[in-house]
Amino acid sequence: MKSYEDLNGLELDTIREMGSIGMGNAATALSSMLGCEVRIDLPEVRIMGYNEAIDWIGGPEVITAGVLVHMSGELNGIMLSVQQMEFVNLVLERMIGQTVENYEELTELDSSALVEVGNIMISTFINALCNLADISTRLTVPAFGVDMQGAILAVPMAEFGGQSDYIMTIGANFICGGREVPSRLLLSPDIRSLNFLLKKLGVLDG
């Protein structure tokens, strides 16, 4: 397989199942961090073009926070947690006891809390994926930034756009204390890693 466009129905279904399992594990980890039961609705896992993914998370000019982690080893690529304001304030309210009106109000302590939550969600998601496929990968220290969503998505586009114009998107609503907030994770393994992963899961010959 040379690109995401080559994925067949079985391979896409397998990726969707992986995304659902990973998101469920991320919700469990979030429960411990926020001190409340976190449930998720049915996750939506899709393969999208970069521009479509940007529109899916709200549009290129919308300001958002992002936590970015690089993967290396048997699984190479990038994973990004997109933290929109509803999610930001859920985290800050539960962990720090305050909320913000906009991203400019974020303090160093606020940013640290958001990085910690984003990193735990990504790490838990990737660990679930690796356990499922019996593979290993290393994760870098997370990077945090606040910018327009188009600029944030420019990072995986720059690194992997030469291999494919597509990215894996995982979306779900987290429900905590009767409050429902959207969560968006974007996963971009390189094509070699995607082939290796699908082979390990027994859905790709070779």
Side-chain angles (χ1 to χ4, degrees):
M1 184 179 65
K2 296 180 180 179
S3 71
Y4 283 96
E5 299 96 304
D6 297 332
L7 291 167
N8 63 32
L10 176 60
E11 291 158 0
L12 286 170
D13 286 344
T14 301
I15 286 174
R16 292 188 185 102
E17 182 64 21
M18 288 189 307
S20 296
I21 291 170
M23 202 61 145
N25 280 266
T28 300
L30 200 57
S31 297
S32 300
M33 296 194 72
L34 301 186
C36 68
E37 180 187 10
V38 176
R39 296 179 292 109
I40 59 170
D41 59 12
L42 185 65
E44 180 185 8
V45 183
R46 298 171 61 188
I47 304 296
M48 293 182 177
Y50 285 109
N51 290 333
E52 186 184 1
I54 292 170
D55 289 337
W56 179 68
I57 59 177
E61 296 183 357
V62 173
I63 302 297
T64 194
V67 178
L68 178 72
V69 170
H70 285 75
M71 305 172 290
S72 63
E74 291 184 308
L75 186 62
N76 291 282
I78 287 173
M79 191 159 195
L80 175 68
S81 169
V82 178
Q83 301 179 340
Q84 296 169 328
M85 190 54 67
E86 290 175 274
F87 183 85
V88 165
N89 277 327
L90 172 65
V91 170
L92 296 182
E93 185 177 7
R94 300 293 307 189
M95 294 184 70
I96 299 176
Q98 66 182 32
T99 60
V100 295
E101 292 291 329
N102 56 64
Y103 292 101
E104 293 178 355
E105 295 180 12
L106 291 174
T107 65
E108 187 174 343
L109 180 61
D110 296 337
S111 297
S112 295
L114 295 174
V115 170
E116 184 179 0
V117 166
N119 188 43
I120 289 294
M121 287 177 59
I122 291 172
S123 299
T124 306
F125 187 105
I126 294 299
N127 286 339
L129 197 62
C130 288
N131 289 336
L132 192 65
D134 191 26
I135 61 176
S136 62
T137 191
R138 296 179 298 278
L139 303 180
T140 61
V141 173
F144 178 76
V146 173
D147 207 333
M148 290 189 295
Q149 292 182 148
I152 288 176
L153 262 290
V155 176
M157 287 176 67
E159 293 211 19
F160 299 113
Q163 296 189 40
S164 174
D165 295 327
Y166 290 78
I167 190 169
M168 189 187 312
T169 59
I170 308 104
N173 289 322
F174 285 148
I175 304 161
C176 174
R179 185 170 164 192
E180 191 172 301
V181 300
S183 176
R184 299 289 184 262
L185 296 173
L186 305 174
L187 177 61
S188 183
D190 63 25
I191 297 303
R192 182 203 64 79
S193 298
L194 186 61
N195 277 287
F196 181 73
L197 182 61
L198 291 171
K199 286 176 184 175
K200 292 288 286 187
L201 291 169
V203 293
L204 186 68
D205 294 331

